[in-house]
DNA sequence: GGTGCATCCTTACC
DNA sequence: ACAGGTAAGGATGCACC
């Protein structure tokens, strides 16, 4: 039997003490297939120099005899091979040691205390990684498998009949099909089922599940404890019935992906806990196994044969830094990425829901799954490309952070360099690394405050990555101190390849815009940007603080050199931060400036590249609030099309109240558009008057601050901590990571601290005029108007001066 | 009990 | 613990008078 298929999910199992790989995929005709592949795991023993053939053979004989009995099984060295390999760029002789069961690789490696052995490596990789590395069966690429069909076969203990699949093949040969998948097409349309639950008690398993919604391209339904004549609602007579109906529906849909939003941390653990309570097995796996959880920093929920995706995890690594949303809630993210929102519904305890409210609740629940489904579709190209490029199953790659993604990419591209994989740092090593002093980072130029006209912004493309490539900075090329070898290392070479791919797909995207090429280009961009952080990250296999420090230092030197050249050419440099430079054109034209930019590029080292980010009509830089010199990381620009770019100002900070943010935003825009402060001052006066007359909507005065750690770990009791404590008193849910909302109210108390005036949003009380005037509005506009020599304090307080702290 | 510096804390920039 | 350093700025903590 022979068929084409795409690998989606990977797993392995033991049979008679040996490991077998189990790949779940789809055939090119859409059938769900399970491919079972024989795979013997192995690790490396790298030999010290200068051992003759005879000595090596003796060693091999000794190693071949190693056997261990542990965890109720016998494992032994099955085979030893001598290879010429590279380790950290240097040629070595190494023994490839094959073991019966790879789970015992570490224990067997521990038995290799021979003086001839320099290092033992790759026993700390997982078997799936080893398999993909060696056999190159990469997720979502097309393969042709031939072998024996298992149909009610007793092979592997009737494994095929234990799974809900269309076809099971014991592989004899798996061959990659060279058929190039056209980048325009998405090669395979996954079957997706999105889900979401509603409960009264947010504590995992703390109360009954009221309803669960399920959405695919075929169904839109809510299974609910509440009877309803809404067409999409299926009634469950009790929670056990609800759970069974849920399981049955998932099985009926038979999806490739079961998708939730924060479902690793909430929906699936909740379902599992309630299933246990009802003595029901949450047997969602295609082999009828239950959901499995693994604890890391985050809870992770795995279902055998169906890829469980928690969209929030992927959003955090691949999207968060490019999103404007202030939180990563489903509502905000869906609004930004899809232009759709959750249904308006004020959640309250199910006991107090009226009949109409149940209808709305059902719709609300359904909408969450609809949004989750649509978000998945939107992100699918990105996840697919991540999986293919990192050569890592989508279950894993969608949960990994960027450092792990860089590492996966490196590990799976090492074979081109004949390299053995370096080990993961263990606990002591990590602690040691974390104690190392920080190195000096980027250069930030102190700006001179003012309103400027006719500017350009230059920036280096993927600056740190191109520094790493241009100066060959990595662990394997590190000699000593700040010295690095001239001989090109695998890490910089791989990174250069990444940058080249990024360029190639960016160009392709311009010619032919489509989501797949965009996703590919973006994945390479994210990889390039994370490479620097990776080398400085204490958990990295290829950690090299010297390389990270040198990268930062050489980047700094490069930008300072360029700034000098720009000045010499007669431009005025206003500002610079890390990889960008803002300059005044003065008497120069745009085209002269572009010519000059080309000239600058000719003299840059290696692959470094300086780009024009944009030309700007005006820009404003302000003073720091403390001191009369320019504030870094705070500026605003307007380009010639009228597009405004605001950085660092309170406008973009979520821990300032809306009133102050909106006011500052308007004032910045007025000033940039008009080039003077006239309208801005009028607008400020108007808002001030309204605030003093208590005409401002309290919604605009809410301050939101995130609880970054458990409440009892705070040393300083700040306003948001007080607010959170009050919430607990009122038995409102308070969790680490939550945005705490409060406003500052008028109080009779003479205490001066803000925290003594904190009130929760729902609480009665009038807003504190002096606080919002002196600590929100004034600080937000003061330094902007100061550029025009306006004393804002006098303006809004009248002639009578007031101390800043007073309110 | 007010002053002023240190420290904590959050959130931004790149 | 899950990429790095640089920076602004609010609010409290606390020694000091």
């Amino acid at each position: 039997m022979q068929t084409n298929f795409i690998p989606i999910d990977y797993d392995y199992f033991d049979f008679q003490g040996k490991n077998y790989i189990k790949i779940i995929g789809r055939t090119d005709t859409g059938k769900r297939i399970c491919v079972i592949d024989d795979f013997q795991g192995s690790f490396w023993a790298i030999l010290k120099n200068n051992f003759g053939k005879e000595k090596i053979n003796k060693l091999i004989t000794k190693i071949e005899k190693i056997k261990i009995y542990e965890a109720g099984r016998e494992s032994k060295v099955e085979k030893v091979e001598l290879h010429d390999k590279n380790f950290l760029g240097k040629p070595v002789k190494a023994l490839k040691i094959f073991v019966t069961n790879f789970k015992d690789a570490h224990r067997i490696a521990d038995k290799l205390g021979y003086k001839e052995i320099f290092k033992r490596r790759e026993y700390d990789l997982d078997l799936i990684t080893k398999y993909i590395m060696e056999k190159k069966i990469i997720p979502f690429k097309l393969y042709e498998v031939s072998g024996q069909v298992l149909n009610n076969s007793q092979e592997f203990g009737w494994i095929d009949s234990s799974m809900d699949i269309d076809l099971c093949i014991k592989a004899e040969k798996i061959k990659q099909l060279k058929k190039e998948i056209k980048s325009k097409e998405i090669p395979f349309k996954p079957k997706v089922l999105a889900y979401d639950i509603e409960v009264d008690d947010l504590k995992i398993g703390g109360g009954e599940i009221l309803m669960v919604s399920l959405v695919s391209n075929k169904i839109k339904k809510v299974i609910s404890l509440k009877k309803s004549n809404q067409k999409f609602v299926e009634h469950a007579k009790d929670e056990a019935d609800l759970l069974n109906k849920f399981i049955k529906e998932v099985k009926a849909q038979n999806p490739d992906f079961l998708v939730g939003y924060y479902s690793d941390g909430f929906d699936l653990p909740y379902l599992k806990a309630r299933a246990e309570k009802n003595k029901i097995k949450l047997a969602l796996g295609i082999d009828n196994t239950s959901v499995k959880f693994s604890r890391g920093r985050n809870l992770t929920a795995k279902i055998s044969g169906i890829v469980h995706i928690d969209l929030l995890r992927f959003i955090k690594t691949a999207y968060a830094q490019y999103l404007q949303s202030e939180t990563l809630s489903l509502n905000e993210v869906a609004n930004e990425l899809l232009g759709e929102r959750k249904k308006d519904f004020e959640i309250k305890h199910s006991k107090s829901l009226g009949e109409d409210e149940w209808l709305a609740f059902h719709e609300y629940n359904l909408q969450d799954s609809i949004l989750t489904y649509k978000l998945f579709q939107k992100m699918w190209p990105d996840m697919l490309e991540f999986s293919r490029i990192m050569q890592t199953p989508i279950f894993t790659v969608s949960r990994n952070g960027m450092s792990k993604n860089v590492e996966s990419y490196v590990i799976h591209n090492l074979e081109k360099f004949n390299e053995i994989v370096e080990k993961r740092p263990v606990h002591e090593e990590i602690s040691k690394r974390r104690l190392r002093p920080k190195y000096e980072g980027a250069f930030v130029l102190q700006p001179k405050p003012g309103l400027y006209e006719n500017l350009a912004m230059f920036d280096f493309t993927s600056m740190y990555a191109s520094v790493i490539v241009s100066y060959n900075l990595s662990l394997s090329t590190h000699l000593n101190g700040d010295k690095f070898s001239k001989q090109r290392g695998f890490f910089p070479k791989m990174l250069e390849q990444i940058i080249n791919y990024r360029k190639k797909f960016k160009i392709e995207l311009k010619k032919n815009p489509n989501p797949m090429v965009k996703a590919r280009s973006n994945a390479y961009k994210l990889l390039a940007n994370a490479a620097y952080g990776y080398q400085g990250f204490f958990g990295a296999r290829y950690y090299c603080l010297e390389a990270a420090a040198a990268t930062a230092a050489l980047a700094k030197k490069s930008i300072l050199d360029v700034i000098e050249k720009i000045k010499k050419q007669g431009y005025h440099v206003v500002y610079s931060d890390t990889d960008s430079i803002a300059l005044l054109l003065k008497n120069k034209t745009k085209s002269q400036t572009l010519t000059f930019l080309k000239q600058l590029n000719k003299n840059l080292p290696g692959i470094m590249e300086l780009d024009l980010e944009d030309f700007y009509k005006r820009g404003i830089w302000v003073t720091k609030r403390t001191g009369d010199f320019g504030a870094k990381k705070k500026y605003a620009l307007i380009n010639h099309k009228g597009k405004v770019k605001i950085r660092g100002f309170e406008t973009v900070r979520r821990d300032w109240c809306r009133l102050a943010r909106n006011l500052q935003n308007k004032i910045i825009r007025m000033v940039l558009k008009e080039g003077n402060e006239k309208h801005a001052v009028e607008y400020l006066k108007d808002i001030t008057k309204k605030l003093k007359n208590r005409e401002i909507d309290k919604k605009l005065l809410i301050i939101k601050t995130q609880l970054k750690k458990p409440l009892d770990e705070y040393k300083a009791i700040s306003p948001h901590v007080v607010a959170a404590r009050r919430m607990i008193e009122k038995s409102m849910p308070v969790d680490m990571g939550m945005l705490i909302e409060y406003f500052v109210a008028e109080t009779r108390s003479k205490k001066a601290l803000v925290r003594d005036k904190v009130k929760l949003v729902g609480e009665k009380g009038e807003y504190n005029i002096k606080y919002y005037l002196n600590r929100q509005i004034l600080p937000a506009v003061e330094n902007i108007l100061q550029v025009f020599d306006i004393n804002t304090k006098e303006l809004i307080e009248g002639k009578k001066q007031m101390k800043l702290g007073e309110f």
Side-chain angles (χ1 to χ4, degrees):
Chain A
M1 166 80 188
Q2 181 176 309
T3 183
N4 296 344
F5 84 107
I6 295 164
I8 300 172
D9 196 24
Y10 299 67
D11 202 354
Y12 71 95
F13 63 92
D14 293 355
F15 187 68
Q16 293 172 347
K18 292 183 66 174
N19 307 129
Y20 293 86
I21 304 291
K22 191 166 92 178
I23 305 171
I24 303 294
R26 290 266 175 201
T27 66
D28 52 2
T29 54
K31 284 184 183 153
R32 170 173 285 193
I33 186 175
C34 172
V35 174
I36 296 171
D37 199 7
D38 205 342
F39 182 64
Q40 186 145 57
S42 64
F43 67 94
W44 293 96
I46 302 168
L47 302 177
K48 287 181 189 161
N49 287 331
N50 303 324
F51 285 105
K53 251 233 135 68
E54 211 171 302
K55 261 197 166 164
I56 293 175
N57 283 336
K58 262 192 182 163
L59 178 65
I60 291 176
T61 314
K62 273 193 273 183
I63 292 173
E64 279 174 337
K65 287 188 186 131
I66 295 176
K67 255 185 207 173
I68 63 162
Y69 301 88
E70 242 169 290
R73 60 172 178 261
E74 180 190 282
S75 247
K76 60 177 184 180
V77 173
E78 300 278 341
K79 189 169 61 169
V80 180
E81 298 170 353
L82 178 64
H83 288 257
D84 285 307
K85 296 286 289 182
N86 291 319
F87 182 61
L88 296 177
K90 292 190 184 63
V92 291
K93 294 232 179 274
L95 301 178
K96 188 169 189 182
I97 300 170
F98 293 84
V99 297
T100 321
N101 190 326
F102 193 69
K103 286 196 193 97
D104 300 312
H106 200 150
R107 282 189 280 265
I108 289 177
D110 285 343
K111 298 232 175 247
L112 295 179
Y114 304 110
K115 64 176 190 310
E116 295 91 338
I117 294 174
F118 171 50
K119 272 170 178 161
R120 293 152 295 183
R121 287 296 182 270
E122 296 192 13
Y123 53 81
D124 62 353
L125 292 170
D126 71 57
L127 192 65
I128 302 299
T129 307
K130 287 283 293 187
Y131 177 77
I132 296 174
M133 267 173 79
E134 289 190 17
K135 293 228 174 172
K136 287 289 154 199
I137 314 282
I138 296 162
F140 303 108
K141 297 212 172 181
L142 192 59
Y143 295 87
E144 176 190 282
V145 57
S146 47
Q148 180 198 344
V149 175
L150 305 183
N151 190 4
N152 260 321
S153 153
Q154 33 177 316
E155 283 250 27
F156 309 115
W158 286 272
I159 192 167
D160 70 279
S161 30
S162 72
M163 291 185 286
D164 183 14
I165 45 168
D166 302 317
L167 180 63
C168 184
I169 293 187
K170 185 182 167 191
E172 273 145 29
K173 204 172 143 204
I174 304 177
K175 188 174 90 181
Q176 189 178 347
L177 294 175
K178 285 288 163 217
K179 227 196 287 178
E180 190 57 37
I181 297 159
K182 278 191 201 144
S183 51
K184 214 193 285 183
E185 297 160 13
I186 295 176
F188 125 91
K189 282 224 184 317
K191 286 175 78 176
V192 181
L193 182 61
Y195 75 111
D196 180 63
I197 64 168
E198 303 299 337
V199 298
D200 279 325
D201 188 342
L202 293 173
K203 201 173 106 262
I204 299 297
E208 273 192 327
I209 295 173
L210 304 171
M211 62 186 81
V212 53
S213 56
L214 289 156
V215 169
S216 72
N217 63 344
K218 295 208 181 78
I219 60 157
K220 280 193 179 115
K221 72 151 67 176
V222 171
I223 304 168
S224 172
L225 295 183
K226 178 77 182 174
K227 224 176 218 163
S228 165
N229 51 15
Q230 286 160 298
K231 273 193 303 223
F232 59 89
V233 176
E234 180 180 346
H235 179 237
K237 67 179 197 297
D238 55 23
E239 194 183 33
D241 190 30
L242 181 144
L243 288 163
N244 284 323
K245 286 195 158 96
F246 170 72
I247 295 167
K248 205 175 132 202
E249 191 60 58
V250 173
K251 299 242 161 206
Q253 291 300 315
N254 190 20
D256 297 305
F257 298 103
L258 183 66
V259 185
Y261 199 92
Y262 189 43
S263 50
D264 268 354
F266 185 72
D267 300 68
L268 218 38
Y270 213 111
L271 281 159
K272 171 96 173 186
R274 295 311 294 181
E276 275 166 16
K277 180 110 187 167
N278 283 281
K279 300 198 169 54
I280 290 169
K281 186 177 172 193
L282 196 63
L284 295 172
I286 57 165
D287 53 359
N288 278 318
T289 52
S290 183
V291 181
K292 287 177 202 75
F293 294 93
S294 61
R295 293 195 168 272
R297 191 167 172 269
N298 296 298
L299 204 59
T300 294
K302 197 174 172 76
I303 301 168
S304 178
I306 297 176
V307 184
H308 177 237
I309 298 280
D310 180 349
L311 283 183
L312 181 59
R313 297 277 293 266
F314 188 65
I315 288 170
K316 278 184 183 166
T317 48
Y319 285 80
Q321 70 178 122
Y322 302 99
L323 291 179
Q324 303 292 304
S325 304
E326 279 164 20
T327 69
L328 296 180
S329 65
L330 177 60
N331 191 36
E332 277 197 79
V333 172
N335 188 37
E336 184 170 348
L337 293 177
L338 307 169
E340 291 182 53
R341 308 186 64 98
K342 284 168 76 123
K343 285 254 153 72
D344 273 330
F345 178 72
E346 206 182 316
I347 294 196
K348 46 180 171 175
H349 200 280
S350 57
K351 273 186 210 155
S352 48
L353 286 175
E355 288 296 319
D356 285 358
E357 288 172 317
W358 273 103
L359 300 185
F361 201 9
H362 288 149
E363 279 180 16
Y364 170 87
N365 179 229
L366 186 67
Q367 173 72 357
D368 277 9
S369 283
I370 292 173
L371 292 177
T372 303
Y373 181 83
K374 287 185 177 173
L375 271 179
F376 178 89
Q377 299 297 351
K378 176 106 186 171
M379 295 181 193
W380 166 240
D382 294 294
M383 279 193 255
L384 175 66
E385 286 303 332
F386 261 60
S387 187
R388 280 209 284 226
I389 292 168
M390 290 6 137
Q391 300 183 32
T392 300
I394 204 161
F395 177 84
T396 314
V397 87
S398 68
R399 287 171 171 82
N400 281 347
M402 276 318 287
S403 78
K404 269 271 188 292
N405 287 334
V406 170
E407 194 155 279
S408 299
Y409 185 91
V410 171
I411 286 173
H412 289 291
N413 283 279
L414 280 177
E415 86 277 355
K416 293 166 197 152
F417 301 89
N418 196 29
E419 270 277 332
I420 291 172
V421 180
E422 176 57 305
K423 73 162 186 284
R424 190 193 307 135
V426 290
H427 196 75
E428 301 157 64
E429 176 63 20
I430 289 181
S431 327
K432 211 168 79 192
R433 290 178 182 181
R434 296 191 69 195
L435 286 172
R436 293 184 66 175
K438 282 190 178 183
Y439 56 87
E440 194 180 303
F443 168 72
V444 188
L445 185 109
Q446 181 111 54
K448 198 169 152 266
L451 184 74
Y452 298 92
E453 308 236 332
N454 200 17
L455 308 101
M457 182 85 95
F458 292 167
D459 63 7
F460 282 94
T461 42
S462 297
M463 189 192 212
Y464 281 34
S466 61
V467 169
I468 292 171
V469 173
S470 302
Y471 293 94
N472 206 28
L473 309 174
S474 71
L475 179 63
S476 78
T477 52
H478 180 227
L479 301 173
N480 55 66
D482 58 357
K483 300 278 186 300
F484 291 83
S485 162
K486 290 269 180 291
Q487 182 137 24
R488 302 265 279 131
F490 62 83
F491 192 95
K493 271 190 181 171
M494 269 187 219
L495 191 50
E496 182 169 23
Q497 181 72 265
I498 289 170
I499 292 170
N500 286 338
Y501 278 136
R502 153 75 173 159
K503 267 189 209 151
K504 183 183 153 197
F505 293 120
K506 204 176 164 183
I507 292 166
E508 197 179 318
L509 183 65
K510 242 187 186 163
K511 277 193 288 194
N512 171 23
N514 80 71
M516 288 312 296
V517 179
K518 190 174 177 190
R520 200 167 297 170
S521 158
N522 195 248
Y524 283 113
K525 175 183 163 186
L526 291 178
L527 264 182
N529 288 344
Y532 156 73
Y534 173 78
Q535 297 203 100
F537 168 51
F538 51 75
R541 288 175 191 262
Y542 294 100
Y543 170 79
C544 184
L545 199 69
E546 293 81 359
T551 307
L554 288 163
K556 185 170 179 172
K557 190 177 163 293
S558 299
I559 200 154
L560 286 172
D561 285 353
V562 170
I563 288 173
E564 272 319 298
K565 285 181 184 162
I566 294 173
K567 282 185 185 165
K568 268 205 188 121
Q569 191 71 15
Y571 293 93
H572 178 74
V573 173
V574 178
Y575 183 63
S576 167
D577 184 350
T578 314
D579 60 357
S580 67
I581 302 166
L583 50 132
L584 300 186
L585 262 52
K586 302 216 286 193
N587 55 350
K588 303 272 202 311
T589 64
K590 284 184 187 175
S591 96
Q592 281 175 317
T593 306
L594 287 171
T595 310
F596 173 56
L597 183 60
K598 269 191 191 150
Q599 201 185 307
L600 281 172
N601 267 300
K602 275 186 196 148
N603 296 310
L604 290 174
I607 66 161
M608 295 186 68
E609 229 179 82
L610 195 62
D611 241 2
L612 175 80
E613 199 255 336
D614 207 353
F615 288 110
Y616 292 95
K617 188 171 167 225
R618 281 197 191 94
I620 187 168
W621 277 262
V622 299
T623 57
K624 272 178 51 139
R625 281 188 56 69
T626 49
D628 50 5
F629 45 96
K632 298 172 177 181
K633 299 186 186 285
K634 267 184 114 167
Y635 61 91
L637 296 162
I638 186 166
N639 74 5
H640 294 285
K641 287 179 186 160
K643 199 173 169 209
V644 175
K645 179 171 160 175
I646 300 177
R647 292 290 178 262
F649 276 108
E650 286 74 9
T651 302
V652 300
R653 293 184 60 97
R654 71 171 179 195
D655 56 352
W656 281 69
C657 76
R658 270 284 155 207
L659 182 73
R661 296 175 65 187
N662 294 348
L663 169 68
Q664 188 190 55
N665 192 355
K666 275 217 169 172
I667 283 184
I668 288 173
R669 282 165 195 275
M670 285 176 182
V671 162
L672 286 178
K673 277 199 185 96
E674 294 159 21
N676 65 62
E677 80 291 3
K678 248 184 73 191
H679 285 110
V681 168
E682 275 171 35
Y683 185 70
L684 170 64
K685 280 184 177 165
D686 180 46
I687 294 289
T688 309
K689 200 171 131 200
K690 283 191 172 126
L691 182 73
K692 286 179 177 168
N693 292 339
R694 298 202 177 283
E695 288 165 19
I696 300 290
D697 187 348
K698 221 153 81 179
K699 270 191 194 143
L700 297 173
L701 302 176
I702 295 167
I703 295 165
K704 303 178 187 178
T705 315
Q706 194 182 23
L707 210 58
K708 303 283 276 189
K709 50 186 179 186
L711 207 46
D712 50 3
E713 277 177 29
Y714 280 91
K715 286 181 195 159
I717 309 306
S718 45
H720 80 297
V721 173
V722 169
R725 284 180 179 175
R726 176 110 26 104
M727 287 168 75
I728 285 181
E729 276 170 34
K730 297 192 165 194
S731 49
M732 292 160 75
V734 172
D735 257 322
M736 207 178 103
M738 231 169 95
L739 269 190
I740 304 294
E741 302 187 355
Y742 63 89
F743 73 99
V744 178
E746 303 282 6
T747 48
R748 258 180 267 274
S749 101
K750 270 174 263 168
K751 291 181 199 165
L753 296 181
V754 177
R755 66 169 173 225
D756 296 317
K757 300 175 194 297
V758 162
K759 287 208 169 168
L760 298 184
V761 176
E763 289 179 321
K764 272 190 219 159
E766 286 186 302
Y767 62 75
N768 191 309
I769 292 176
K770 281 179 183 167
Y771 171 82
Y772 284 101
L773 224 43
N774 289 320
R775 306 250 184 129
Q776 291 279 331
I777 282 184
L778 179 66
V781 297
E782 197 175 34
N783 350 25
I784 297 167
L785 293 182
Q786 194 190 310
V787 167
F788 303 94
D789 283 327
I790 305 260
N791 185 328
T792 312
K793 210 179 293 173
E794 277 176 21
L795 198 74
I796 67 178
E797 289 292 344
K799 273 275 172 273
K800 212 181 89 200
Q801 292 260 343
M802 188 178 261
K803 274 180 218 145
L804 196 65
E806 198 182 323
F807 69 94

